[in-house]
Amino acid sequence: MAQAGSADPGVGGHWAAGPGCAPWRWALALLWLATAAGGPSRRQWPVPYKRFSFRPEPDPYCQAKYTFCPTGSPIPVMKGDDVIEVFRLQTPVWEFKYGNLLGHLKIMHDAIGFKSTLTGKNYTMEWYELFQLGNCTFPHLRPEMNAPFWCNQGAACFFEGIDDIHWKENGTLVLVATISGNTFNQMAKWVKRDNETGIYYETWTVQASPTKGAETWFESYDCSKFVLRTYKKLAELGAEFKKIETNYTRIFLYSGEPTYLGNETSIFGPTGNKTLALAIKRFYYPFKPHLSTKEFLLSILQIFDAVIIHREFYLFYNFEYWFLPMKFPFIKITYEEIPLPKRNETLSGL
């Protein structure tokens, strides 16, 4: 974060206004100094999600309990005059294993369905974690490594077919728009670019408070955000969406203004901050996987002590670490409406 530099009049002199120093130049100098000194408070919020030039190969250490996109297939090229129906798909997270259990808590997974009028074939497109949610949210503390090790990637999955029962039984399968084959093909090219450059998953939305208009520090990057980005792209390409209510799950953390701490090298490297490195690893230790019942209960107490009592949270975002001074109500899961976009709405970013 930018900090004010030393302002020692003994170095370089030139503090008094001489004959050739116009008042407007002093005004500009003072404005520059004020900007430099106010660097931390003028940081861009929310912090922009970092995109990459390519998707790296996953580390062999990272193993998924459930194979990512097992029936995936390339996105087909549609005939330009085809009429493609677009469906909103939503179901409880891990519905295949727990049924509607998480649906009662409104913890939902989002996807998009397509149906070709010419061929009668339908397709599902979704974006989710390569190594399950826990690996994307918290790191592994490997004894042979000084820094926390992250198995965090998310990606798009496209496959033929829509499992009607999976989406309808405890969720949603509803027509939201109709597009041409040409529009579908343009969207497919955008999905490829989006998928190659947006490579990691982010669970949390971090805000200053639950009140409307509160400052957002960090945005999540998950299945619902992929759906929303795709809807916006389709609207930009001319799609007209139906007027129906669309709600999405969001998981919030609430904190005061975050403090930037550094990246893996600056914190955990040979010349890093050993005290800070230890504090970060201690914070993440209770979140480790494969705990016994006794260890799990103890971990819950440790997490409560860190986040609620001491009001501390260490966030890993854009492959950098941030400190969050937590505030009441600390964490909240919401299921809130985000309207479908209007036609030709400008898409920001990709």
Side-chain angles (χ1 to χ4, degrees):
M1 297 175 70
Q3 295 182 357
S6 173
D8 182 0
V11 180
H14 308 306
W15 280 90
C21 195
W24 66 267
R25 291 181 179 175
W26 275 108
L28 286 176
L30 290 171
L31 179 63
W32 179 85
L33 285 172
T35 303
S41 62
R42 287 172 170 79
R43 178 179 286 279
Q44 182 179 351
W45 302 115
V47 173
Y49 177 90
K50 183 178 180 180
R51 289 186 173 270
F52 294 81
S53 57
F54 67 97
R55 177 178 291 278
E57 287 294 321
D59 191 289
Y61 178 87
C62 302
Q63 297 294 321
K65 187 174 181 180
Y66 304 103
T67 303
F68 175 79
C69 201
T71 60
S73 60
I75 302 178
V77 177
M78 302 292 189
K79 291 187 176 180
D81 60 349
D82 198 351
V83 177
I84 312 294
E85 294 178 320
V86 183
F87 297 92
R88 164 176 161 80
L89 307 178
Q90 188 177 75
T91 193
V93 169
W94 295 324
E95 189 268 349
F96 67 93
K97 186 173 182 180
Y98 300 113
N100 196 34
L101 178 63
L102 293 176
H104 294 301
L105 301 175
K106 295 299 183 183
I107 302 177
M108 309 297 281
H109 172 66
D110 297 275
I112 306 176
F114 302 97
K115 183 178 180 181
S116 164
T117 302
L118 286 180
T119 67
K121 291 183 178 180
N122 51 39
Y123 306 90
T124 300
M125 184 171 72
E126 54 190 345
W127 194 96
Y128 64 101
E129 326 88 84
L130 267 65
F131 310 110
Q132 279 75 66
L133 181 61
N135 281 316
C136 292
T137 310
F138 301 108
H140 293 257
L141 299 180
R142 299 171 62 177
E144 72 275 20
M145 291 185 171
N146 192 37
F149 182 83
W150 293 85
C151 290
N152 184 358
Q153 279 202 49
C157 173
F158 187 94
F159 56 93
E160 186 174 337
I162 296 177
D163 186 346
D164 289 13
I165 296 176
H166 173 68
W167 300 103
K168 280 183 176 179
E169 190 170 28
N170 296 306
T172 301
L173 195 165
V174 61
L175 180 70
V176 292
T178 302
I179 61 176
S180 69
N182 278 330
T183 299
F184 179 91
N185 294 335
Q186 289 178 278
M187 178 211 70
K189 292 178 182 177
W190 170 85
V191 168
K192 186 175 185 296
R193 292 196 304 272
D194 182 80
N195 191 52
E196 288 174 348
T197 59
I199 66 172
Y200 72 93
Y201 189 101
E202 179 51 54
T203 303
W204 314 105
T205 298
V206 186
Q207 284 191 340
S209 77
T211 57
K212 187 176 181 180
E215 186 81 71
T216 298
W217 310 121
F218 302 93
E219 291 278 9
S220 61
Y221 197 88
D222 55 14
C223 61
S224 65
K225 287 300 179 73
F226 173 73
V227 169
L228 290 166
R229 289 197 306 279
T230 305
Y231 285 163
K232 283 186 177 182
K233 185 61 183 180
L234 288 173
E236 180 191 335
L237 294 171
E240 189 161 350
F241 286 88
K242 295 179 177 294
K243 294 181 180 179
I244 60 172
E245 183 176 329
T246 51
N247 292 62
Y248 302 88
T249 300
R250 301 180 76 187
I251 306 178
F252 288 91
L253 295 177
Y254 298 108
S255 83
E257 183 168 332
T259 300
Y260 174 74
L261 301 176
N263 58 25
E264 180 178 310
T265 302
S266 66
I267 298 172
F268 300 96
T271 60
N273 186 328
K274 290 182 172 57
T275 302
L276 177 58
L278 182 60
I280 292 174
K281 288 195 286 188
R282 280 178 174 169
F283 172 79
Y284 284 128
Y285 183 80
F287 297 97
K288 66 180 181 178
H290 313 304
L291 298 173
S292 67
T293 302
K294 182 179 178 180
E295 288 174 325
F296 175 75
L297 294 174
L298 179 60
S299 293
I300 292 295
L301 292 175
Q302 291 173 327
I303 293 166
F304 182 87
D305 180 70
V307 177
I308 309 300
I309 303 301
H310 288 91
R311 304 192 173 205
E312 298 175 346
F313 196 101
Y314 290 94
L315 180 73
F316 189 63
Y317 194 90
N318 284 345
F319 295 91
E320 297 173 318
Y321 289 91
W322 297 77
F323 176 77
L324 307 181
M326 298 297 287
K327 293 164 56 177
F328 181 84
F330 307 105
I331 184 170
K332 187 177 182 180
I333 298 173
T334 66
Y335 186 67
E336 56 189 46
E337 181 180 9
I338 301 177
L340 289 165
K342 294 181 181 179
R343 187 175 183 174
N344 294 326
E345 186 174 298
T346 301
L347 183 73
S348 60
L350 274 172

